[in-house]
Structure formats: structure tokens, C-alpha cells
Amino acid sequence: MAAERGVPGLEAQKRQVEGDGPGQPGRERPLRAGEKWYLLENHWYQQWKAYVESGDQNASSYPGRINNAELFEDLESYRLKERLVEFEEYILVPEEVWDNLVSWYGIEHEQPPIERKVVDLPSMPKVEVYLVELYLCQHSDMDNPVVASFSRVDIIDNVLKEVRRLFAIPPEEETRLWVKNSDGSCERLRNLQMTVLDACLSSGQMVIMESRSKDGTWPSSRPHIMKNSVEDEELYQGQPGVCGLTNLGNTCFMNSALQCLSNVPSLTEYFLKNCYLEELNFTNPLGMKGEIAEAYADLIKQQWSGHHRSIVPRMFKTKVGHFASQFLGYQQHDSQELLSFLLDGLHEDLNRVKKKEYIELKDAAGRPDEEVAEEAWRNHKRRNDSIIVDIFHGLFKSTLVCPECGKVSVTFDPFCYLSVPLPVSKERVMEIFFMYMDPSKKPEQHRLIVPKAGKVLDLCRTLSKHTGVPSERMMVADVFSHRFYKIYQMEESLSCILDRDDIFIYEVSVSTQEDPATADAVVLPVYLRECTRGREYSDTYYGVMLFGQPLLVSVPRDQLSWDALYQLLLHRLSRYVTRPDSEEEEEEEEDQSEEEDLYSKRPNGLSEGEEEEEEEEEETTTTTAEGSTSQEPGSETEENPSDASVGEEGAGVEGRQSSSPSTHQPAQSPRAPSSSPSPPTANQPKRKCRLPRRRKMLFTLQAVNSNGTTDRMAGQDEGSAVSFNSQPYVAIDWDSDMKKRYYNEVEAEGYVKHDCMGYTLKKNPVRLQECIELFTTVETLEEENPWYCPTCKKHQLATKKLDLWSLPETLIIHLKRFSYTKFSREKLDTLVEFPIRDLDFSDFIIKPRKETDHTVYKYDLIAVSNHYGGLRDGHYTTFARNKDSGTWFYFDDSNVSLVSKAQIESKAAYVLFYQRQDKVRHPAPPPAATSTAGAREQEDYEASCGALPSQTTSRDFMDVD
């Protein structure tokens, strides 16, 4: 009977099923991942086994049709029973054994085969008896899920396709999946090529499908928006791409870069057509797991949906800060730096190369340029192949020449943008204040033209031509917070002086070429301080605060006493310090008259005050102090002992020069208050005694350090030797009341402007082609970046030349406006003239070209990133050409307005985007009949955006974030 149906003999059946004998796979063979195995009910299998072992094809033990009914919960859903045990309730057979058994015996009517796959678990391959049952639902209706089963080796894309099929989603609608965890949180299923096993999905979990809204947003990303607001956004219909970006706080740099990239047609269409979904690289260790690409795609879809006037790029900002910590927070940054990060991040997230191979770079070694360039580009594409490479990457030739052995090294390197230098003037403008020695002359403000690479001496020589004062009789100082931050030497470089520094140049009587130790005079730095009484009923504590401009005063060595210094400084300050007249002195003396005790008379018949007045005329003191510079302003509380002598009080290295060797009493200097008489006792008689008329002191003098504070560590020994090899500092201490009466602050702050202040350094505009020529000019490597010569076997300062070999379809040109050196930083506001159409690179490309390749070297402008302001603050905006309409718009954060082509070229242009002409799409002009309607639509758009009229868009644009 069995032989008539073509069924093999029982022994042959047994060999094919059980695998007995060589070459017979059977059910005992090893499992292989991905293949199909089938469940077979164990009772039927045991009956079949007894049948074939009986050797009688007509035996009553014939098993009949395969029947797996005992394995199902019911015969309607054919759902597999839970917790079935292998070898007790079922066995597993490979696909070929199952097919043989079905062909020999058949299967019960309408009973489905129980097919399962072999999955490769971390420990070993295993047949997946129980599938993963997932609850599938839509984001808009999570209360009615549908159950579906998936193998652990199924990829997430299969799950997405099944969900779309179950809910009949149109092909053009974009969707994404979320999985709901046991704690209630939801997690994106980003990698559609990941298996169910690798995604850690388990039975009973809910998978939610979310559909993108018409305005380009995802419902889950805007839960805080009210429903009517969402409907309003979806009802609004504007021009796609004409959409502002909200400033989140100093994020104009990010908005500017994003608007430029948004208006690169080929890149935007790549994202709008969802081409990126097939190329997301989730395993690239150099990438961001596809998150930057997805965040950028969301942004583009919203901008180009036509349903937004402006959007808030908060999610994108968060992603950028997560992967690039330098962009965390809300500090101002460089739009070009963000652009560089974003292009690199998009490239790595969309890199088609999943596993990068190691490639050893080779030198040209005399081979033809075409061969070396082709090899370099091929090697680059073997590791880097993405839409960013397709659109933005070009190739330049780098030639290095060793100055010692003449070795020539030629390499071809890819680039994503060109950073071109601007022609820099060799001169700079410096504004300074000149302080004459003549106290009657006010300080003069000068604007000087000096060489950028010059020295301080060059600054003085230039000033000498304006003032007639010899340069060797000038000293240059940086004044900060009423003190000297630094006093410059003549040989120091001008690059040490920043434009923001307050530079004062002082006329001195001492030549700077003389040795200070042997010069006839000493130059003393002098500070002005205001003293206020710090405690009631005490003369010993003062709070001091620096004020006014410090001085550099030339003091002859023969006048180095406190009295002489007092008179000299009084003369120096005479323009804004009023001397008290005789009546004021008389009134002051009357106010100071007091009762004196007779017991205080000295043997010489003078009172204590009179004796000290005599001694004051006999003794002189000199002082010198040494200190370091500081730029921190501040005030302090000092202790000035009221009965201390010069040598005891002095803060620097102090000493005394006495005209009489017999003098031993301390001199009363103009730098400290006089002692108060001792109070009389109750038993002593009192007598009124009028003090003799004395000279009135407007201020006192104090030796200080360079900070303007008392140096308590030096010169406490009044017999110390005096040295003028170091720089002493002196403070003029004013009592608050005396300062109000005799110090004219308005006059002290007065200055005059020299005629040279009307001069401005003319900056002629430069052409963009000149900047590109500078980029391709031969230069010598800097000492910080030498080249290792393989012939000399050492690092050399080689000459380097860059040449353009091939250009991308979209060329980014970065104008290097920000100049940073060790000592200086500046922004170049040179006007760069760049064409909006027909930028021709045919003179710069060194690659041999064909006669027909004319258009591949001509480019049209499509976007400009602008920077207004200086180094410390500024604002970024964008000019961009809409890819659909060809109209130019001005993007200023959330504000968008029309702009004419004549307004695009400005000193603010920072990053230029050019598109090759063979890739430029020129929109067809609208029909004449609809031109009026189109104009009306544009007017409506401007009104809705709050845009200024087009003729006013030439405003200063100096808004600062």
C-alpha cells in the first residue's frame, strides 16, 4: 500500500527521519541559526516509531495523518498551549523531515503546521518554540491593542510593517515605533534593523505606532501644546522653508547654521523624502547612534511643512549639548564651529560604511597626480560614504617641501569646507592718553597708526611726532582700576597690548635708556586713595579706596624726602587741586586750638607740638618699595599708627637722611596724622595755649605695593639702606572731607582730543577671489606645527602649499574673520565682495579638465551666515535662497523677512554657501495673471511674521543676544 504511493520502505523512512547512517541528516543533526523546524505531537511520533520498527507496512500500528491537536488550546485560533514540554508532549524535526512526513502520511485537514525558527542565542542556537507576543496599537488609540506574534530573529522593521498593515496606514505617511516598559516609560525603537531579541522585547509588551502630523511634528514631542493650538498650526499654510527659529538664549549661532543648511536643496530633499531612514548607522562608534540625524530630520520636516511661522528647536539643542558638551548651556558660540560639528555628526550617523577598514596612507612617490588623487578619493570613500560626502566633500592637493634636503611630499586630502584667510593690514590703530609733565596741560587722547608687528618703542616714536616729546622720555603703562596693571619696556611687542586695554603714556625727565640706578631722578608710580574713618572715636583705622588716574612722577634724587615729595606732588596736581588760602589756614588753626597742660613743656621751652614741628624741618626720609602687578580692584581697611615715625610706618624699604647727626626724635611726616596730646589728670592745672601757625597738609603720603595696598613685610628697620634699583610705589591718601574741598574731580578727569583722533584707518574691500588666492599661497609651517621629513629623519619647518583639485556640488567657504594669537584677539570687519552668481573656480582648479566642463566650475550663492558685533558679543543671522521659489529671505531668529540681492553683501558675511550651477534649480516664473495675487500673498506673509518693509532691511543688524 505504501509502496504504491511512492513511500519508501520502513527502514528507509527510519533512516531519513532519525538520521541513522552516514549522509542522513535527520532530526538529530545540529541546529543552524535561521533555519525552520517544526513541532510534532509526541504521541503521533511514538506510534509512527513503533510502526516503522515493526517492519510490517500493513500493521495495525499505522499512525495515520499527522495530528497536532493536543498541542493547541483550541482548534479555532490554533494557539499553542502554554508550558509544553519537549520529548513529553512534542518533538522537533527539521524542515526536510517534516516535508517528508507530510508527503508520506499527510496532515489533518485545516490544521496549520507549527513552524518555528532557530535563533542564535548568546550561549547556543535554539528552536524558538514560543514566539514573542506583542500588543500593537496606535498613539491616538492605545486602549484597543491588537495581539501579534513575532520571532526573536525578526527585525523591528518587520514589526513596523505588520503594524502598518494591521491599521491600514497609507504608504506616504511617516511612522515610528515606541515600546512601553513595565515602569510605564516609553522608549524609541530607533534601529529598524535590530532584531526583536536584541531590542529586548518580551511577550506582553505594548508597541505603539506614532504618525507624524501634517505640520512635521510628532504628537509625543509636544504634549504641552493645547489641542486648539495644534489645530491652528496645522491650518496655517505658509511657504515651505520660510520658518523662523526661536532664540532659546544666545542660540542665534545655532539658528544661523541651521537656516543655512536647511536651504541646501539636495540635503533637505534627502530628509524630506525619508532617504535617511535607510541609511541611519546605529553602530558607528564615531557617530551619535542616529540621534543627531533624527533630530535634524524632525527640524527639517517642521520647517518645510509650511504649517509654522517659527518653531522652537529645544529638542535639537538638547541633543547637540548631549553629544558635544562645549555647546551645553546658553553661552554664545561660533556658528561655523557648530556647523562643523553638525556636518561631521550627520556624516557619521548616516555613514553607509558599517565597519571601517584600516587604510595606510601613501605618499605620491613621483606618481602622476591623477593616479594619486583617484587613490586618495577611493580610500576616503572606503571609510566615509554618506550624503554629506556626496554633497559637501571635495579634494585638495597638499605639497610640502623640506627646506634642508628639498624632499617633496604630495598628498591629496578631503575637505568639507574651505577656511580662507582675509588679507590683513600690517598696521593697527591704537588709542592712547598722553600725560605731560607740565601740570597745566591736560591729558591728550591720540589715535596712532603703528605696525602690528612693532614694539612699544615704535608706539612712542609715533607719538613723539605728534607731541614733540622725545620717545626716550616716555613710559608706557596699562592702567586698570586706578592702578598700573603693567608698565611696559621699550622692547616689548605691541601684540601684548589689546585694543580694549587703557594705555597711558607718561612724559618723564629720565631717559629710558639710562640705568635707573645711576640716573639723576627716580620715576615713582603714584596712586590716589581716599581714606574714610572706619571706627568712631578712633584715629587709627581707615578704609581706603583707589580713585582717579595714577601718575608716573619724576623725582630728582636730591628731593627724595617726604616734605619735598609732598611739594612736588602738590605742584603736579595743581591743575585740579586747590591750595588753601591764608584765611582758610587761619580758620583751621582756630578750630584746632585747644587746652594744653603745663607739664607737657619740654626742657627747650616748646610744647610737644612745637618741638615736633622743629624736628620736622630737620629730618628727611626716603622710601622705596617693590611690588607686583595685579588687576583686581578693591578696597581695604588699614591700620595707621598715629604716633609712628617714618621708619616705623613705611611699607616699603625705608630709611632716613638727617641734616643733623644729633637728631634722635622721630620726624612728623606729611604721610601720617600727628599725635594727640596726653589727657591731663584731675590734679594738674590747665592752661589755654594757642599752637603756632603751621602749614596745612591736604593729603598724606604712604609707601605701598603695586596693588596700592600697604606692604607690611618690608622696611620696618628705619636704619635700612635705601635702594632705587626696584620700582617704588607711593600713595597719596586723601581724607574724604579734604578731597571734597580741594580736589576737583571734573577737572581731574578732563582731557583734550588731538587732531589725529579724527583719522580712521581706511579698509578697502577685498574680493573673495583674493581670499582664495591667499588660501593657495605658499606658507612656512609654524614652530608649533612642524613636519617630519622622512629623509632628514627630523621635524622641519617646511613650506606648504594647498591647491584645489576637485570641488563638491555645495561649497562652504568660511571667512576667517576672527584672529586669535598668543597676545591678541580681533575681528576683521573687512568688506569681502562675493558674487551672488557665477563664482568661477576655473582658475583655481589644478585638475586637468575637459573642454566641455564649463559649468562644473561655476557656482551660485544660496546662503550666508552673518555675524554682527565684536569678539565679546554679537548676533548671528542668515540670508538664504528658498529652493522652491528662488526668493531670498532674511532669517533673524524667529523673524523672517524678504530681502533684495543688493543687501546680501555686507561686512557681516561670515560663512558662504555656494551651489554648483549644474545642480541649481531655477523655479519657473509665476504666470502674469497670478503675479498680483502672489504679491498680495507675500504682503500677507510679511504681516503675519511682523517683517519690516523690504526697503528697511538694511538696518544696522547690531542686535545682541
Side-chain angles (χ1 to χ4, degrees):
M1 176 174 63
E4 292 178 0
R5 298 197 304 267
V7 178
L10 298 183
E11 279 297 323
Q13 287 186 39
K14 184 179 179 181
R15 285 195 302 271
Q16 293 182 37
V17 172
E18 299 295 335
D20 296 339
Q24 301 295 330
R27 70 181 190 87
E28 297 296 333
R29 68 173 179 81
L31 300 174
R32 289 189 289 269
E35 63 183 4
K36 299 176 183 178
W37 283 61
Y38 291 79
L39 272 71
L40 186 62
E41 201 268 327
N42 189 49
H43 180 267
W44 187 94
Y45 168 73
Q46 294 298 335
Q47 188 171 351
W48 169 85
K49 191 175 182 181
Y51 170 66
V52 295
E53 288 178 352
S54 67
D56 183 6
Q57 291 185 353
N58 297 317
S60 60
S61 59
Y62 180 74
R65 292 177 179 272
I66 299 173
N67 188 354
N68 285 333
E70 293 298 322
L71 302 180
F72 298 114
E73 287 186 353
D74 58 74
L75 297 181
E76 293 181 359
S77 65
Y78 291 106
R79 181 186 178 89
L80 199 65
K81 288 182 179 180
E82 298 289 338
R83 301 182 184 85
L84 293 175
V85 181
E86 188 177 6
F87 303 120
E88 291 184 10
E89 295 167 288
Y90 71 91
I91 65 164
L92 293 167
V93 295
E95 184 176 22
E96 63 272 13
V97 172
W98 173 262
D99 291 342
N100 286 335
L101 290 174
V102 171
S103 65
W104 297 337
Y105 298 96
I107 189 171
E108 285 294 335
H109 183 63
E110 294 183 353
Q111 199 175 97
I114 308 175
E115 175 189 312
R116 294 293 185 264
K117 290 182 180 179
V118 178
V119 295
D120 196 3
L121 297 177
S123 56
M124 59 186 223
K126 188 176 181 181
V127 177
E128 186 182 34
V129 175
Y130 289 98
L131 299 177
V132 177
E133 291 187 345
L134 300 175
Y135 291 88
L136 310 178
C137 65
Q138 291 181 284
H139 183 269
S140 57
D141 182 17
M142 292 190 286
D143 296 330
N144 298 298
V146 177
V147 180
S149 299
F150 299 93
S151 168
R152 289 170 177 79
V153 295
D154 283 339
I155 60 176
I156 302 300
D157 190 48
N158 292 346
V159 179
L160 179 59
K161 289 176 180 177
E162 178 65 14
V163 183
R164 292 178 65 98
R165 185 190 67 81
L166 288 173
F167 294 105
I169 303 299
E172 66 276 5
E173 189 171 313
E174 188 178 351
T175 55
R176 63 181 185 180
L177 296 180
W178 298 78
V179 59
K180 191 172 184 179
N181 297 317
S182 58
D183 60 358
S185 63
C186 291
E187 183 181 350
R188 273 283 313 280
L189 295 174
R190 299 179 183 278
N191 190 353
L192 297 181
Q193 302 307 311
M194 182 181 287
T195 64
V196 171
L197 177 65
D198 293 335
C200 300
L201 296 183
S202 57
S203 293
Q205 280 190 293
M206 179 176 288
V207 175
I208 306 165
M209 182 186 66
E210 183 181 21
S211 299
R212 190 186 291 273
S213 305
K214 292 180 180 179
D215 65 353
T217 61
W218 295 102
S220 61
S221 65
R222 54 179 192 183
H224 60 284
I225 301 178
M226 301 299 291
K227 184 177 180 181
N228 55 353
S229 300
V230 175
E231 292 174 353
D232 290 343
E233 287 289 338
E234 292 185 352
L235 289 175
Y236 170 78
Q237 186 60 54
Q239 185 174 350
V242 184
C243 175
L245 296 172
T246 301
N247 192 322
L248 304 174
N250 283 331
T251 58
C252 58
F253 73 96
M254 180 184 76
N255 294 347
S256 178
L258 288 173
Q259 293 289 11
C260 287
L261 276 186
S262 171
N263 285 278
V264 175
S266 49
L267 182 65
T268 295
E269 290 174 2
Y270 170 84
F271 281 98
L272 291 178
K273 294 177 180 178
N274 291 332
C275 301
Y276 73 99
L277 293 174
E278 300 296 326
E279 298 182 347
L280 284 171
N281 191 330
F282 299 97
T283 59
N284 187 354
L286 301 178
M288 288 81 173
K289 300 180 180 179
E291 293 187 38
I292 286 293
E294 287 188 327
Y296 180 76
D298 289 346
L299 209 63
I300 290 298
K301 288 177 182 292
Q302 292 178 53
Q303 285 181 275
W304 290 84
S305 68
H307 291 284
H308 298 279
R309 295 174 177 85
S310 66
I311 58 177
V312 182
R314 192 178 306 278
M315 185 60 69
F316 181 83
K317 170 72 171 61
T318 303
K319 292 292 183 184
V320 169
H322 176 72
F323 291 105
S325 58
Q326 67 268 30
F327 297 114
L328 276 173
Y330 296 94
Q331 300 297 316
Q332 181 66 280
H333 293 281
D334 191 315
S335 68
Q336 189 271 332
E337 291 179 3
L338 178 84
L339 187 66
S340 176
F341 162 77
L342 184 53
L343 288 173
D344 184 64
L346 290 175
H347 160 66
E348 296 296 354
D349 272 1
L350 299 169
N351 199 343
R352 303 174 186 115
V353 180
K354 306 303 180 186
K355 188 176 181 180
K356 295 187 177 184
E357 56 182 310
Y358 172 75
I359 299 173
E360 186 175 356
L361 299 178
K362 298 179 182 178
D363 195 72
R367 293 180 293 163
D369 283 351
E370 292 89 338
E371 178 184 341
V372 181
E374 184 180 352
E375 177 186 78
W377 185 251
R378 186 170 58 250
N379 289 339
H380 178 60
K381 292 278 285 186
R382 285 165 63 184
R383 291 175 56 86
N384 303 279
D385 185 15
S386 70
I387 185 66
I388 303 300
V389 175
D390 298 342
I391 297 175
F392 296 103
H393 282 207
L395 203 65
F396 60 66
K397 175 185 177 182
S398 174
T399 305
L400 290 165
V401 180
C402 178
E404 190 169 312
C405 67
K407 163 71 176 176
V408 179
S409 172
V410 176
T411 57
F412 286 82
D413 302 303
F415 67 86
C416 189
Y417 51 85
L418 296 180
S419 288
V420 298
L422 272 62
V424 179
S425 172
K426 295 182 179 180
E427 296 178 328
R428 63 180 289 195
V429 176
M430 296 186 66
E431 291 187 6
I432 61 93
F433 286 92
F434 182 64
M435 312 288 283
Y436 287 96
M437 286 182 62
D438 184 350
S440 65
K441 291 186 177 181
K442 290 185 177 182
E444 277 186 354
Q445 187 181 21
H446 291 255
R447 181 173 291 163
L448 306 176
I449 309 299
V450 294
K452 276 190 175 180
K455 299 180 179 179
V456 172
L457 180 59
D458 296 314
L459 177 65
C460 294
R461 285 173 176 169
T462 305
L463 179 61
S464 178
K465 297 176 183 178
H466 292 197
T467 62
V469 177
S471 59
E472 61 269 15
R473 288 182 51 209
M474 295 181 181
M475 290 186 70
V476 182
D478 181 358
V479 175
F480 180 82
S481 190
H482 312 295
R483 71 191 76 189
F484 291 116
Y485 177 70
K486 181 175 182 179
I487 298 176
Y488 292 96
Q489 302 299 317
M490 287 296 184
E491 294 304 312
E492 288 191 70
S493 173
L494 286 177
S495 61
C496 301
I497 302 177
L498 304 181
D499 290 338
R500 66 172 182 264
D501 293 340
D502 292 324
I503 302 300
F504 285 72
I505 301 181
Y506 297 83
E507 179 188 3
V508 294
S509 63
V510 182
S511 173
T512 55
Q513 298 175 356
E514 292 184 59
D515 183 0
T518 60
D520 294 335
V522 176
V523 178
L524 290 179
V526 179
Y527 294 153
L528 298 174
R529 303 194 303 182
E530 181 178 356
C531 302
T532 55
R533 205 169 298 275
R535 294 183 183 177
E536 286 191 50
Y537 315 114
S538 172
D539 294 335
T540 59
Y541 288 87
Y542 291 86
V544 294
M545 178 73 74
L546 290 168
F547 72 93
Q549 299 301 336
L551 301 172
L552 287 176
V553 180
S554 302
V555 183
R557 286 185 181 273
D558 57 3
Q559 297 184 28
L560 279 172
S561 68
W562 288 111
D563 277 343
L565 184 56
Y566 176 87
Q567 294 298 329
L568 191 148
L569 292 176
L570 194 60
H571 173 69
R572 186 65 183 266
L573 304 177
S574 61
R575 183 172 57 84
Y576 44 91
V577 171
T578 307
R579 291 175 182 260
D581 54 29
S582 57
E583 291 182 2
E584 288 179 310
E585 286 191 358
E586 186 69 27
E587 290 174 5
E588 187 70 21
E589 292 301 327
E590 290 177 0
D591 294 341
Q592 289 182 353
S593 60
E594 59 183 355
E595 293 183 352
E596 284 291 327
D597 298 326
L598 294 176
Y599 79 90
S600 64
K601 284 285 185 179
R602 302 293 179 93
N604 58 8
L606 296 175
S607 67
E608 182 179 314
E610 291 173 297
E611 182 184 33
E612 290 182 357
E613 179 72 11
E614 243 183 34
E615 290 174 351
E616 189 177 300
E617 296 175 358
E618 294 176 350
E619 288 192 12
T620 60
T621 60
T622 58
T623 180
T624 179
E626 182 176 353
S628 59
T629 61
S630 171
Q631 68 174 31
E632 291 298 326
S635 63
E636 63 167 1
T637 300
E638 293 188 355
E639 182 178 352
N640 292 332
S642 59
D643 60 346
S645 67
V646 174
E648 292 166 343
E649 269 191 56
V653 179
E654 297 184 79
R656 299 191 302 171
Q657 294 179 344
S658 175
S659 58
S660 172
S662 63
T663 302
H664 298 289
Q665 294 296 330
Q668 181 66 36
S669 76
R671 43 189 288 273
S674 60
S675 301
S676 300
S678 300
T681 63
N683 299 326
Q684 290 175 325
K686 297 181 180 179
R687 174 185 295 180
K688 285 228 172 178
C689 177
R690 182 177 177 84
L691 292 176
R693 188 163 171 235
R694 294 194 304 171
R695 181 183 55 199
K696 182 176 182 180
M697 298 297 176
L698 300 184
F699 50 79
T700 59
L701 303 179
Q702 175 72 45
V704 294
N705 57 26
S706 61
N707 293 330
T709 58
T710 303
D711 187 354
R712 306 179 187 279
M713 301 301 295
Q716 295 302 321
D717 183 5
E718 63 181 83
S720 301
V722 180
S723 171
F724 295 103
N725 293 329
S726 60
Q727 189 72 267
Y729 288 78
V730 173
I732 298 176
D733 287 347
W734 286 85
D735 180 79
S736 295
D737 294 335
M738 299 294 280
K739 177 173 175 284
K740 290 178 182 177
R741 291 177 63 181
Y742 299 108
Y743 186 90
N744 188 335
E745 291 194 38
V746 176
E747 183 65 25
E749 296 296 326
Y751 66 93
V752 295
K753 292 188 176 183
H754 191 269
D755 294 342
C756 63
M757 288 300 295
Y759 176 80
T760 55
L761 186 63
K762 294 182 179 179
K763 296 182 180 180
N764 296 323
V766 299
R767 296 168 59 246
L768 179 60
Q769 288 83 343
E770 295 178 53
C771 301
I772 300 171
E773 286 175 3
L774 277 177
F775 177 80
T776 58
T777 301
V778 178
E779 62 178 358
T780 302
L781 297 178
E782 297 178 351
E783 293 184 3
E784 297 82 7
N785 187 30
W787 170 66
Y788 183 80
C789 177
T791 304
C792 300
K793 305 296 183 183
K794 63 179 181 180
H795 288 90
Q796 299 280 14
L797 298 181
T799 59
K800 181 178 181 180
K801 188 178 189 305
L802 295 177
D803 291 294
L804 299 176
W805 180 263
S806 63
L807 296 179
E809 69 173 64
T810 300
L811 177 64
I812 302 175
I813 302 177
H814 166 224
L815 303 178
K816 297 171 72 174
R817 290 196 178 275
F818 298 101
S819 172
Y820 299 96
T821 64
K822 185 177 181 180
F823 298 107
S824 65
R825 300 184 302 165
E826 63 176 333
K827 181 195 173 185
L828 306 175
D829 59 353
T830 308
L831 175 63
V832 178
E833 298 176 340
F834 50 88
I836 294 180
R837 293 208 51 171
D838 298 325
L839 175 59
D840 194 350
F841 278 92
S842 57
D843 293 336
F844 298 103
I845 302 294
I846 64 170
K847 179 181 180 180
R849 54 184 181 271
K850 301 176 183 178
E851 293 294 330
T852 57
D853 292 345
H854 296 296
T855 58
V856 296
Y857 300 109
K858 288 190 176 182
Y859 285 75
D860 290 348
L861 188 72
I862 58 172
V864 181
S865 176
N866 304 302
H867 179 267
Y868 302 95
L871 288 170
R872 296 183 178 181
D873 50 31
H875 185 58
Y876 287 93
T877 64
T878 299
F879 292 121
R881 177 183 179 273
N882 187 274
K883 70 179 182 68
D884 296 332
S885 65
T887 307
W888 281 89
F889 289 92
Y890 177 68
F891 297 87
D892 184 359
D893 289 332
S894 56
N895 298 317
V896 185
S897 58
L898 278 171
V899 69
S900 67
K901 293 181 180 179
Q903 296 169 286
I904 295 172
E905 186 180 279
S906 73
K907 292 181 179 181
Y910 182 44
V911 184
L912 310 176
F913 284 69
Y914 278 93
Q915 189 174 30
R916 204 167 59 210
Q917 285 189 347
D918 63 338
K919 298 292 183 179
V920 175
R921 182 174 62 192
H922 297 285
T930 61
S931 59
T932 304
R936 189 179 299 113
E937 287 178 5
Q938 187 58 52
E939 291 175 2
D940 294 341
Y941 169 77
E942 288 185 357
S944 66
C945 291
L948 295 177
S950 60
Q951 65 266 24
T952 65
T953 53
S954 60
R955 55 194 180 278
D956 191 18
F957 298 124
M958 287 299 292
D959 301 328
V960 177
D961 280 342

